[in-house]
Amino acid sequence: MDRLVRFNVLATSGRSVEAAGDVDTLLLDKTGTITLDNRQATEFLPVRGVTELDLAEAARLASLADDTPEGPSIVVLAKERHGLRGMEIGELKARFVPFSANTRMSGVNRDGVVIRKGAVEAIIDHAHSLGIARIIPPDAGRIASDIARQGGTPLAVSRNGQILGIVHLKDIVKGGIRERFAELRKMGIRTVMITGDNAVTAAAIAAEAGVDFDSGNLRVDLVHHQVQLAAQEVKLSPKEYDILAQLVIHAGKVLTHRHLLREVWRDETIDPQYLRVYIRQLRQKIEADPADPRHLLTESGVGYRLV
């Protein structure tokens, strides 16, 4: 106990110190633990036919009364990139819609114009709820996917149901966190990141932070995109790696066919048989005995789980 105090560690009892010696897995929340608390807006990425200025103006108006960390950063970015200054909320004579976990979006109604910003899926659902047939810009999904693969969070912006573009919100990984995870790994302690982000974003953040998957003879290093089976490097195709990376992020959890199709191919309507072909190929590469898989398990009629 005295030695712990010298290292600024407080223990409530000797039993708790003994129990700590049996720890082999550390569960860490992403935001505030692995990354800094506040995500920052870094880019306005309009869809085809929309100017960056138009997107920035809509995003700024939707963010003026937003008290989440992202709101002020969007207002600041609009000012820095396009000279759009903040306004007094009272001057707008508008009704602001606060963010909620249920709707996953916020915005403003002003002079008959409805502006919303939020999760891409939420903004698409909002467009449908207006009762107006809207064509989702094909490049919106591509932009959002590119942001997620970089470890960012895509924030869609719409005006009267029309998607104008995506705001890139960037998570900042804490300095030195990768090195600390490496030290824990040397001690035999596995680190698991817990997050509500989509799997692609989570995989990118986990890779940057140095979270990996190590189970028996299978090791997945998300930092260097390396996979090893029995200490031998395994070569995967890009799609095979994307599937495996998402299973790693949700290790132990069943991922449905629809989830994997949506996150890897960005299309839930693809025939699940297409996914099964890739799973079969993946098992051939990461299982010692593909006929008797130990890591990539099938949950009949539901999906797949990595253990």
Side-chain angles (χ1 to χ4, degrees):
M1 299 285 281
D2 290 339
R3 291 177 60 191
L4 287 175
V5 171
R6 288 201 293 272
F7 286 98
N8 296 321
V9 176
L10 296 179
T12 57
S13 67
R15 180 174 295 179
S16 63
V17 175
E18 291 178 7
D22 295 327
V23 171
D24 58 9
T25 303
L26 188 60
L27 305 181
L28 299 169
D29 183 45
K30 186 203 75 174
T31 305
T33 305
I34 294 175
T35 65
L36 300 177
D37 286 326
N38 300 339
R39 292 180 296 189
Q40 299 294 309
T42 59
E43 287 182 284
F44 295 115
L45 301 168
V47 298
R48 187 184 301 274
V50 177
T51 66
E52 184 178 330
L53 176 60
D54 197 17
L55 169 60
E57 172 65 8
R60 179 187 70 108
L61 287 174
S63 303
L64 289 174
D66 186 355
D67 58 1
T68 66
E70 294 86 355
S73 76
I74 290 174
V75 175
V76 169
L77 184 64
K79 179 181 178 181
E80 291 176 346
R81 293 285 180 87
H82 300 284
L84 300 175
R85 298 188 174 277
M87 302 172 63
E88 292 294 331
I89 294 177
E91 296 176 9
L92 291 176
K93 296 181 180 178
R95 183 175 72 86
F96 289 93
V97 179
F99 173 83
S100 77
N102 290 330
T103 63
R104 295 193 299 157
M105 62 181 180
S106 61
V108 60
N109 299 343
R110 183 192 185 203
D111 297 331
V113 177
V114 178
I115 300 175
R116 293 292 183 270
K117 64 179 175 65
V120 177
E121 296 85 355
I123 295 300
I124 292 174
D125 290 344
H126 164 70
H128 292 319
S129 73
L130 294 179
I132 304 172
R134 295 288 181 188
I135 298 176
I136 306 303
D139 49 344
R142 176 187 57 77
I143 295 171
S145 180
D146 288 345
I147 291 172
R149 288 182 185 280
Q150 297 171 42
T153 299
L155 196 71
V157 179
S158 72
R159 182 171 57 216
N160 293 336
Q162 177 188 0
I163 294 181
L164 303 177
I166 310 292
V167 179
H168 182 170
L169 298 178
K170 183 170 176 56
D171 278 297
I172 309 299
V173 173
K174 289 183 175 180
I177 197 73
R178 182 186 296 181
E179 291 75 16
R180 293 184 183 183
F181 284 168
E183 291 176 8
L184 289 171
R185 197 172 298 119
K186 290 177 181 177
M187 297 165 58
I189 298 176
R190 175 188 171 210
T191 53
V192 176
M193 184 178 75
I194 300 173
T195 177
D197 285 342
N198 70 70
V200 177
T201 298
I205 292 294
E208 185 177 354
V211 178
D212 65 6
F213 178 85
D214 195 337
S215 177
N217 60 352
L218 176 64
R219 184 173 186 271
V220 182
D221 183 344
L222 294 177
V223 177
H224 303 100
H225 285 212
Q226 293 179 343
V227 180
Q228 292 182 338
L229 180 66
Q232 298 297 313
E233 186 173 358
V234 177
K235 298 292 186 181
L236 300 180
S237 71
K239 276 288 188 288
E240 290 168 346
Y241 180 82
D242 286 346
I243 294 170
L244 183 60
Q246 292 181 53
L247 288 164
V248 165
I249 293 301
H250 297 283
K253 178 181 177 182
V254 178
L255 296 187
T256 65
H257 301 114
R258 288 183 60 186
H259 177 99
L260 289 168
L261 291 171
R262 181 178 68 247
E263 297 299 335
V264 176
W265 283 275
R266 312 301 295 178
D267 187 353
E268 297 180 5
T269 64
I270 292 177
D271 187 344
Q273 184 62 36
Y274 197 55
L275 172 61
R276 293 187 185 100
V277 170
Y278 276 91
I279 292 292
R280 185 162 55 248
Q281 293 173 178
L282 194 52
R283 280 200 177 114
Q284 293 290 333
K285 296 180 178 181
I286 68 169
E287 295 284 1
D289 181 2
D292 184 21
R294 301 293 183 180
H295 300 294
L296 182 46
L297 308 181
T298 298
E299 298 296 334
S300 184
V302 181
Y304 303 96
R305 179 165 57 96
L306 189 70
V307 297

